[in-house]
Amino acid sequence: MKFIDEVNVYVQGGKGGDGIISFRREANVDKGGPDGGDGGNGGNVYFQGDPGQNTLLPFYYQNKIIAEPGENGKPKNAFGANGKDLIVKVPLGTMVYLDNKLVADVISEEKYLIARGGKGGKGNPRFKSSRNTAPRICENGTQGEKFDFHLVLKVLADVGFVGKPSAGKSSLLSQISNAKPKIADYDFTTLVPQLGLVKFYENSFVVADLPGLIEKAHEGRGLGIQFLKHIERCKVIAHIIDFGSIEKNPVEDYQIINNELKNYNLKLEKLPQVVIANKNDLEAFELHKEEFLKVYPDVKLIDYSALLEDNLDEIKKALWNSLELAKKELVEIPEEKEVVVITLNKKPIEITKLNADTWEISGDDVYEVYEKIPVISLDNLWRFNAKLKALGVFDLIKDSGVNDGDTIKIRDYEFVWNSDEF
């Protein structure tokens, strides 16, 4: 499956159903009153973490997510049904951004509310009073929330395997976990992060094999810049280094990888590290190991051979102990997790001259009134005008030099201006 870790999606809550104008009409029933039902609420959109997914590929092909709308009201006070909530499965570790601000970080299998559905509109019985016993007033349902989100996936793993290409990361992952990564004798065999569940007695933890890093990966060389971000969520860094090949330089490889981690995120170098010396079945292994310990005498090396599959229990133990230590010390990498309160600024009410005798009114408050109150009855028209007057629309028109007889537009609704009537 193709690995996609960033994608843009459009998310919309379901529209609320419309209320209706209706009156009771039955044989042998005298003076039937208003009985228009309310519209149902639109469905919400939720994101839910799914440990079985590891790519945002489905959203690359289907990037519009719209919840079910509420049903319209019906006669005999029958309310419309609510729209069903839409629960969208996303990989654990999915971060949701709006205008470059983090609004949700899906790190568990709980449901995260992403977009609320609209409220259902009211039927005409809601407007019945002693002064108006037969109201011809109703409301449309409101629109659901609409957002253009940017999704970023950072794989959720306890331990991250890092190392130069062909160091043996995929081989080790396949031997200690349930993962089945691609293994071959050439560089950049692993092109996407691979996750595996490691069992250690009654305990378990998740390990990620990350594509091979090279020098200046943090500047965009190789595959590093694309996948370095996935290391940020790991609690332990495990270096897999080739100590057996005569042409390799383990000291230099170790320094390069640590330098890339440091340059990408200054906190990464502070995470607990486990260093696994691979290819102890080759002749150059002991020489390279001796040279490494001269430079780093305090670093504990775990001998390992992907060919012989030795010391696997010791590796699991070292990873688990380091993970326990990391949890106690609570070494955390900042990921812009500050609480973000998003305030969507409303567009002000404005009047624009389209031509010699046509004007257009715009503004979020005006549009809200227009969408909520359908001009389908005289009572609704009076209520619509009263709302516009309360918003100061008519005063704005008078102050803008609109002449009697000019046409005023609000979306697709038009009326002729007469200053004596407004």
Short mmCIF file of all heavy atoms in Angstrom, two decimals, residues 310-363:
data_model
loop_
_atom_site.label_atom_id
_atom_site.label_comp_id
_atom_site.label_asym_id
_atom_site.label_seq_id
_atom_site.Cartn_x
_atom_site.Cartn_y
_atom_site.Cartn_z
N ASP A 310 20.93 -14.04 16.69
CA ASP A 310 21.34 -14.25 18.07
C ASP A 310 21.05 -13.01 18.92
O ASP A 310 20.83 -11.92 18.41
CB ASP A 310 22.83 -14.59 18.14
CG ASP A 310 23.72 -13.49 17.58
OD1 ASP A 310 23.18 -12.59 16.90
OD2 ASP A 310 24.94 -13.53 17.81
N ASN A 311 21.03 -13.23 20.25
CA ASN A 311 20.83 -12.17 21.24
C ASN A 311 19.49 -11.44 21.10
O ASN A 311 19.37 -10.29 21.54
CB ASN A 311 21.97 -11.14 21.17
CG ASN A 311 23.26 -11.68 21.75
OD1 ASN A 311 23.25 -12.67 22.50
ND2 ASN A 311 24.37 -11.05 21.42
N LEU A 312 18.49 -12.07 20.52
CA LEU A 312 17.20 -11.40 20.34
C LEU A 312 16.54 -11.11 21.69
O LEU A 312 15.94 -10.03 21.87
CB LEU A 312 16.28 -12.25 19.46
CG LEU A 312 16.74 -12.47 18.02
CD1 LEU A 312 15.69 -13.27 17.25
CD2 LEU A 312 17.01 -11.14 17.32
N ASP A 313 16.65 -12.04 22.64
CA ASP A 313 16.05 -11.81 23.96
C ASP A 313 16.74 -10.66 24.68
O ASP A 313 16.10 -9.86 25.36
CB ASP A 313 16.12 -13.08 24.81
CG ASP A 313 15.14 -14.15 24.34
OD1 ASP A 313 14.16 -13.77 23.65
OD2 ASP A 313 15.35 -15.33 24.64
N GLU A 314 18.07 -10.58 24.52
CA GLU A 314 18.81 -9.49 25.15
C GLU A 314 18.41 -8.14 24.55
O GLU A 314 18.29 -7.14 25.26
CB GLU A 314 20.31 -9.71 24.98
CG GLU A 314 21.16 -8.66 25.70
CD GLU A 314 22.65 -8.91 25.56
OE1 GLU A 314 23.03 -9.99 25.06
OE2 GLU A 314 23.43 -8.01 25.93
N ILE A 315 18.18 -8.12 23.23
CA ILE A 315 17.75 -6.89 22.58
C ILE A 315 16.37 -6.47 23.08
O ILE A 315 16.14 -5.30 23.41
CB ILE A 315 17.75 -7.08 21.05
CG1 ILE A 315 19.18 -7.21 20.54
CG2 ILE A 315 17.05 -5.91 20.36
CD1 ILE A 315 19.28 -7.57 19.07
N LYS A 316 15.44 -7.41 23.16
CA LYS A 316 14.10 -7.10 23.66
C LYS A 316 14.17 -6.56 25.09
O LYS A 316 13.49 -5.59 25.43
CB LYS A 316 13.22 -8.36 23.63
CG LYS A 316 12.84 -8.85 22.25
CD LYS A 316 11.93 -10.06 22.37
CE LYS A 316 11.55 -10.63 21.03
NZ LYS A 316 10.66 -11.81 21.17
N LYS A 317 15.00 -7.20 25.91
CA LYS A 317 15.13 -6.76 27.29
C LYS A 317 15.68 -5.34 27.37
O LYS A 317 15.18 -4.51 28.15
CB LYS A 317 16.05 -7.72 28.05
CG LYS A 317 16.24 -7.35 29.52
CD LYS A 317 17.16 -8.36 30.21
CE LYS A 317 17.36 -7.98 31.68
NZ LYS A 317 18.27 -8.93 32.36
N ALA A 318 16.71 -5.04 26.57
CA ALA A 318 17.30 -3.70 26.59
C ALA A 318 16.30 -2.65 26.13
O ALA A 318 16.21 -1.55 26.70
CB ALA A 318 18.54 -3.68 25.70
N LEU A 319 15.51 -2.98 25.10
CA LEU A 319 14.51 -2.04 24.60
C LEU A 319 13.43 -1.80 25.64
O LEU A 319 13.01 -0.66 25.87
CB LEU A 319 13.89 -2.56 23.30
CG LEU A 319 14.84 -2.68 22.10
CD1 LEU A 319 14.10 -3.28 20.90
CD2 LEU A 319 15.43 -1.33 21.73
N TRP A 320 12.98 -2.88 26.28
CA TRP A 320 11.92 -2.75 27.29
C TRP A 320 12.41 -1.95 28.49
O TRP A 320 11.70 -1.06 28.98
CB TRP A 320 11.43 -4.12 27.73
CG TRP A 320 10.45 -4.04 28.86
CD1 TRP A 320 10.66 -4.34 30.17
CD2 TRP A 320 9.09 -3.58 28.78
NE1 TRP A 320 9.52 -4.12 30.91
CE2 TRP A 320 8.55 -3.64 30.08
CE3 TRP A 320 8.29 -3.13 27.74
CZ2 TRP A 320 7.24 -3.27 30.36
CZ3 TRP A 320 6.98 -2.75 28.02
CH2 TRP A 320 6.48 -2.83 29.31
N ASN A 321 13.62 -2.23 28.96
CA ASN A 321 14.16 -1.50 30.12
C ASN A 321 14.33 0.00 29.81
O ASN A 321 14.04 0.85 30.65
CB ASN A 321 15.50 -2.10 30.55
CG ASN A 321 15.34 -3.46 31.20
OD1 ASN A 321 14.25 -3.83 31.65
ND2 ASN A 321 16.42 -4.23 31.24
N SER A 322 14.78 0.30 28.60
CA SER A 322 14.93 1.70 28.21
C SER A 322 13.57 2.39 28.10
O SER A 322 13.42 3.57 28.44
CB SER A 322 15.67 1.80 26.87
OG SER A 322 16.98 1.30 26.97
N LEU A 323 12.58 1.64 27.64
CA LEU A 323 11.24 2.19 27.52
C LEU A 323 10.66 2.49 28.90
O LEU A 323 10.04 3.54 29.11
CB LEU A 323 10.34 1.21 26.77
CG LEU A 323 8.91 1.65 26.46
CD1 LEU A 323 8.91 2.93 25.66
CD2 LEU A 323 8.18 0.55 25.70
N GLU A 324 10.89 1.59 29.85
CA GLU A 324 10.42 1.83 31.22
C GLU A 324 11.11 3.04 31.82
O GLU A 324 10.49 3.85 32.52
CB GLU A 324 10.69 0.58 32.08
CG GLU A 324 9.78 -0.60 31.76
CD GLU A 324 8.35 -0.32 32.20
OE1 GLU A 324 8.07 -0.46 33.41
OE2 GLU A 324 7.52 0.06 31.36
N LEU A 325 12.40 3.18 31.55
CA LEU A 325 13.15 4.34 32.04
C LEU A 325 12.61 5.62 31.42
O LEU A 325 12.46 6.64 32.12
CB LEU A 325 14.63 4.17 31.69
CG LEU A 325 15.56 5.34 32.07
CD1 LEU A 325 15.58 5.52 33.58
CD2 LEU A 325 16.96 5.11 31.54
N ALA A 326 12.31 5.59 30.14
CA ALA A 326 11.79 6.78 29.47
C ALA A 326 10.45 7.20 30.06
O ALA A 326 10.17 8.39 30.22
CB ALA A 326 11.65 6.52 27.98
N LYS A 327 9.61 6.22 30.39
CA LYS A 327 8.30 6.54 30.96
C LYS A 327 8.45 7.18 32.34
O LYS A 327 7.69 8.08 32.70
CB LYS A 327 7.45 5.27 31.06
CG LYS A 327 7.01 4.72 29.71
CD LYS A 327 6.22 3.44 29.87
CE LYS A 327 5.77 2.88 28.53
NZ LYS A 327 5.04 1.60 28.65
N LYS A 328 9.43 6.72 33.10
CA LYS A 328 9.64 7.28 34.44
C LYS A 328 10.18 8.71 34.37
O LYS A 328 9.81 9.57 35.15
CB LYS A 328 10.61 6.40 35.23
CG LYS A 328 10.03 5.05 35.62
CD LYS A 328 11.06 4.21 36.37
CE LYS A 328 10.49 2.85 36.73
NZ LYS A 328 11.49 1.99 37.43
N GLU A 329 11.09 8.92 33.42
CA GLU A 329 11.69 10.24 33.31
C GLU A 329 10.82 11.22 32.53
O GLU A 329 11.08 12.43 32.53
CB GLU A 329 13.06 10.12 32.61
CG GLU A 329 14.08 9.34 33.44
CD GLU A 329 15.42 9.29 32.76
OE1 GLU A 329 15.51 9.72 31.59
OE2 GLU A 329 16.39 8.83 33.40
N LEU A 330 9.80 10.69 31.85
CA LEU A 330 8.86 11.52 31.11
C LEU A 330 9.57 12.48 30.17
O LEU A 330 9.37 13.69 30.17
CB LEU A 330 7.96 12.32 32.08
CG LEU A 330 7.02 11.49 32.95
CD1 LEU A 330 6.27 12.40 33.90
CD2 LEU A 330 6.04 10.70 32.09
N VAL A 331 10.45 11.93 29.36
CA VAL A 331 11.13 12.75 28.36
C VAL A 331 10.14 12.98 27.23
O VAL A 331 9.72 12.05 26.56
CB VAL A 331 12.39 12.04 27.82
CG1 VAL A 331 13.06 12.90 26.76
CG2 VAL A 331 13.35 11.74 28.97
N GLU A 332 9.75 14.21 27.03
CA GLU A 332 8.73 14.52 26.04
C GLU A 332 9.28 15.45 24.97
O GLU A 332 10.10 16.32 25.23
CB GLU A 332 7.51 15.17 26.70
CG GLU A 332 6.80 14.23 27.69
CD GLU A 332 5.57 14.88 28.28
OE1 GLU A 332 5.34 16.06 28.01
OE2 GLU A 332 4.85 14.19 29.01
N ILE A 333 8.80 15.26 23.76
CA ILE A 333 9.18 16.10 22.64
C ILE A 333 8.02 17.05 22.36
O ILE A 333 6.90 16.61 22.14
CB ILE A 333 9.46 15.26 21.38
CG1 ILE A 333 10.45 14.15 21.70
CG2 ILE A 333 9.96 16.14 20.25
CD1 ILE A 333 11.78 14.61 22.19
N PRO A 334 8.25 18.36 22.41
CA PRO A 334 7.15 19.28 22.13
C PRO A 334 6.67 19.14 20.69
O PRO A 334 7.46 19.10 19.77
CB PRO A 334 7.80 20.67 22.35
CG PRO A 334 9.26 20.45 22.17
CD PRO A 334 9.53 19.05 22.64
N GLU A 335 5.33 19.05 20.52
CA GLU A 335 4.77 18.85 19.19
C GLU A 335 3.67 19.86 18.92
O GLU A 335 2.64 19.54 18.35
CB GLU A 335 4.21 17.44 19.05
CG GLU A 335 5.24 16.35 19.16
CD GLU A 335 4.63 14.98 19.01
OE1 GLU A 335 3.39 14.90 18.83
OE2 GLU A 335 5.36 13.99 19.05
N GLU A 336 3.85 21.09 19.37
CA GLU A 336 2.84 22.12 19.20
C GLU A 336 1.52 21.67 19.84
O GLU A 336 0.44 21.87 19.28
CB GLU A 336 2.60 22.41 17.71
CG GLU A 336 3.85 22.81 16.96
CD GLU A 336 3.58 22.97 15.49
OE1 GLU A 336 2.80 23.88 15.12
OE2 GLU A 336 4.13 22.19 14.72
N LYS A 337 1.60 21.09 21.03
CA LYS A 337 0.41 20.54 21.65
C LYS A 337 -0.29 21.54 22.56
O LYS A 337 -1.13 21.16 23.36
CB LYS A 337 0.76 19.28 22.45
CG LYS A 337 1.02 18.06 21.59
CD LYS A 337 1.11 16.82 22.43
CE LYS A 337 1.29 15.59 21.58
NZ LYS A 337 1.38 14.36 22.35
N GLU A 338 0.09 22.81 22.46
CA GLU A 338 -0.60 23.79 23.28
C GLU A 338 -2.07 23.81 22.91
O GLU A 338 -2.44 23.54 21.76
CB GLU A 338 0.00 25.19 23.09
CG GLU A 338 -0.21 25.79 21.71
CD GLU A 338 0.88 25.40 20.74
OE1 GLU A 338 1.68 24.51 21.07
OE2 GLU A 338 0.92 25.99 19.65
N VAL A 339 -2.91 24.13 23.89
CA VAL A 339 -4.34 24.17 23.62
C VAL A 339 -4.62 25.34 22.68
O VAL A 339 -4.22 26.48 22.95
CB VAL A 339 -5.14 24.34 24.93
CG1 VAL A 339 -6.62 24.48 24.62
CG2 VAL A 339 -4.90 23.13 25.83
N VAL A 340 -5.27 25.07 21.60
CA VAL A 340 -5.54 26.09 20.60
C VAL A 340 -7.04 26.36 20.56
O VAL A 340 -7.83 25.44 20.39
CB VAL A 340 -5.06 25.66 19.20
CG1 VAL A 340 -5.41 26.71 18.17
CG2 VAL A 340 -3.56 25.41 19.23
N VAL A 341 -7.43 27.60 20.77
CA VAL A 341 -8.83 27.99 20.65
C VAL A 341 -8.97 28.73 19.34
O VAL A 341 -8.36 29.79 19.13
CB VAL A 341 -9.26 28.90 21.82
CG1 VAL A 341 -10.71 29.32 21.65
CG2 VAL A 341 -9.07 28.17 23.15
N ILE A 342 -9.75 28.17 18.44
CA ILE A 342 -9.91 28.76 17.12
C ILE A 342 -11.14 29.65 17.10
O ILE A 342 -12.24 29.23 17.43
CB ILE A 342 -10.03 27.67 16.05
CG1 ILE A 342 -8.72 26.90 15.96
CG2 ILE A 342 -10.40 28.27 14.71
CD1 ILE A 342 -8.74 25.83 14.93
N THR A 343 -10.94 30.90 16.74
CA THR A 343 -12.03 31.84 16.60
C THR A 343 -12.14 32.23 15.13
O THR A 343 -11.21 32.81 14.57
CB THR A 343 -11.79 33.10 17.45
OG1 THR A 343 -11.64 32.72 18.82
CG2 THR A 343 -12.97 34.06 17.33
N LEU A 344 -13.24 31.87 14.54
CA LEU A 344 -13.45 32.20 13.14
C LEU A 344 -14.09 33.59 13.07
O LEU A 344 -15.23 33.78 13.48
CB LEU A 344 -14.36 31.17 12.48
CG LEU A 344 -13.83 29.74 12.47
CD1 LEU A 344 -14.85 28.81 11.82
CD2 LEU A 344 -12.50 29.65 11.74
N ASN A 345 -13.34 34.57 12.60
CA ASN A 345 -13.83 35.94 12.53
C ASN A 345 -14.94 36.03 11.49
O ASN A 345 -14.81 35.54 10.37
CB ASN A 345 -12.69 36.89 12.16
CG ASN A 345 -11.62 36.94 13.23
OD1 ASN A 345 -11.94 36.88 14.42
ND2 ASN A 345 -10.37 37.04 12.83
N LYS A 346 -16.04 36.70 11.87
CA LYS A 346 -17.15 36.86 10.95
C LYS A 346 -16.85 37.98 9.96
O LYS A 346 -16.23 38.99 10.29
CB LYS A 346 -18.43 37.19 11.72
CG LYS A 346 -19.01 36.03 12.51
CD LYS A 346 -20.34 36.41 13.11
CE LYS A 346 -20.99 35.21 13.80
NZ LYS A 346 -22.33 35.56 14.35
N LYS A 347 -17.31 37.77 8.73
CA LYS A 347 -17.19 38.83 7.74
C LYS A 347 -18.22 39.91 8.05
O LYS A 347 -19.39 39.61 8.26
CB LYS A 347 -17.40 38.26 6.35
CG LYS A 347 -16.33 37.28 5.91
CD LYS A 347 -16.58 36.77 4.51
CE LYS A 347 -15.49 35.79 4.09
NZ LYS A 347 -15.73 35.24 2.73
N PRO A 348 -17.82 41.17 8.09
CA PRO A 348 -18.74 42.25 8.46
C PRO A 348 -19.82 42.45 7.40
O PRO A 348 -19.68 42.02 6.24
CB PRO A 348 -17.82 43.47 8.55
CG PRO A 348 -16.68 43.16 7.64
CD PRO A 348 -16.48 41.67 7.75
N ILE A 349 -20.88 43.13 7.78
CA ILE A 349 -21.97 43.44 6.85
C ILE A 349 -21.52 44.58 5.95
O ILE A 349 -21.10 45.65 6.43
CB ILE A 349 -23.24 43.81 7.62
CG1 ILE A 349 -23.68 42.64 8.52
CG2 ILE A 349 -24.36 44.18 6.65
CD1 ILE A 349 -24.86 42.96 9.41
N GLU A 350 -21.60 44.36 4.65
CA GLU A 350 -21.17 45.37 3.68
C GLU A 350 -22.20 45.48 2.55
O GLU A 350 -22.95 44.53 2.28
CB GLU A 350 -19.80 45.00 3.08
CG GLU A 350 -18.67 44.96 4.10
CD GLU A 350 -17.35 44.54 3.48
OE1 GLU A 350 -17.39 43.94 2.38
OE2 GLU A 350 -16.29 44.80 4.08
N ILE A 351 -22.21 46.63 1.90
CA ILE A 351 -23.06 46.83 0.73
C ILE A 351 -22.16 47.20 -0.45
O ILE A 351 -21.26 48.03 -0.31
CB ILE A 351 -24.14 47.90 0.99
CG1 ILE A 351 -25.06 48.01 -0.23
CG2 ILE A 351 -23.53 49.24 1.36
CD1 ILE A 351 -26.32 48.84 0.04
N THR A 352 -22.40 46.55 -1.58
CA THR A 352 -21.57 46.75 -2.76
C THR A 352 -22.46 47.11 -3.94
O THR A 352 -23.49 46.47 -4.18
CB THR A 352 -20.77 45.48 -3.10
OG1 THR A 352 -20.02 45.07 -1.95
CG2 THR A 352 -19.83 45.72 -4.26
N LYS A 353 -22.04 48.12 -4.69
CA LYS A 353 -22.80 48.52 -5.87
C LYS A 353 -22.35 47.69 -7.06
O LYS A 353 -21.19 47.70 -7.45
CB LYS A 353 -22.57 50.01 -6.16
CG LYS A 353 -23.52 50.57 -7.22
CD LYS A 353 -23.41 52.08 -7.31
CE LYS A 353 -24.43 52.67 -8.27
NZ LYS A 353 -24.37 54.14 -8.33
N LEU A 354 -23.30 46.91 -7.63
CA LEU A 354 -22.98 46.03 -8.74
C LEU A 354 -23.08 46.74 -10.08
O LEU A 354 -22.28 46.51 -10.99
CB LEU A 354 -23.89 44.81 -8.72
CG LEU A 354 -23.83 43.93 -7.46
CD1 LEU A 354 -24.79 42.75 -7.59
CD2 LEU A 354 -22.42 43.45 -7.18
N ASN A 355 -24.09 47.60 -10.24
CA ASN A 355 -24.23 48.43 -11.43
C ASN A 355 -25.03 49.67 -11.07
O ASN A 355 -25.17 49.99 -9.88
CB ASN A 355 -24.88 47.64 -12.60
CG ASN A 355 -26.18 46.99 -12.20
OD1 ASN A 355 -27.05 47.63 -11.60
ND2 ASN A 355 -26.34 45.71 -12.52
N ALA A 356 -25.56 50.34 -12.05
CA ALA A 356 -26.20 51.65 -11.80
C ALA A 356 -27.35 51.57 -10.81
O ALA A 356 -27.57 52.51 -10.02
CB ALA A 356 -26.68 52.25 -13.12
N ASP A 357 -28.11 50.47 -10.82
CA ASP A 357 -29.29 50.40 -9.95
C ASP A 357 -29.40 49.08 -9.18
O ASP A 357 -30.49 48.69 -8.77
CB ASP A 357 -30.56 50.64 -10.76
CG ASP A 357 -30.72 49.65 -11.90
OD1 ASP A 357 -29.83 48.78 -12.05
OD2 ASP A 357 -31.74 49.74 -12.62
N THR A 358 -28.28 48.37 -9.02
CA THR A 358 -28.30 47.09 -8.31
C THR A 358 -27.21 47.08 -7.24
O THR A 358 -26.06 47.44 -7.52
CB THR A 358 -28.09 45.91 -9.27
OG1 THR A 358 -29.06 45.96 -10.32
CG2 THR A 358 -28.21 44.58 -8.52
N TRP A 359 -27.58 46.65 -6.04
CA TRP A 359 -26.66 46.59 -4.91
C TRP A 359 -26.72 45.20 -4.28
O TRP A 359 -27.72 44.50 -4.38
CB TRP A 359 -27.06 47.63 -3.84
CG TRP A 359 -27.16 49.03 -4.35
CD1 TRP A 359 -28.14 49.54 -5.17
CD2 TRP A 359 -26.26 50.10 -4.09
NE1 TRP A 359 -27.92 50.86 -5.43
CE2 TRP A 359 -26.76 51.24 -4.76
CE3 TRP A 359 -25.09 50.23 -3.34
CZ2 TRP A 359 -26.13 52.47 -4.72
CZ3 TRP A 359 -24.46 51.46 -3.28
CH2 TRP A 359 -24.96 52.57 -3.98
N GLU A 360 -25.64 44.84 -3.63
CA GLU A 360 -25.59 43.52 -2.97
C GLU A 360 -25.17 43.68 -1.52
O GLU A 360 -24.20 44.39 -1.21
CB GLU A 360 -24.61 42.58 -3.67
CG GLU A 360 -24.60 41.18 -3.07
CD GLU A 360 -23.72 40.21 -3.85
OE1 GLU A 360 -22.73 40.66 -4.46
OE2 GLU A 360 -24.03 39.00 -3.84
N ILE A 361 -25.92 43.01 -0.65
CA ILE A 361 -25.60 42.99 0.78
C ILE A 361 -24.85 41.69 1.09
O ILE A 361 -25.29 40.60 0.69
CB ILE A 361 -26.87 43.06 1.65
CG1 ILE A 361 -27.69 44.31 1.32
CG2 ILE A 361 -26.51 43.03 3.13
CD1 ILE A 361 -27.03 45.60 1.70
N SER A 362 -23.74 41.78 1.80
CA SER A 362 -22.98 40.59 2.19
C SER A 362 -22.62 40.68 3.67
O SER A 362 -22.70 41.75 4.28
CB SER A 362 -21.70 40.46 1.34
OG SER A 362 -20.86 41.58 1.54
N GLY A 363 -22.20 39.57 4.23
CA GLY A 363 -21.84 39.51 5.65
C GLY A 363 -22.36 38.23 6.27
O GLY A 363 -23.47 37.78 5.95
#
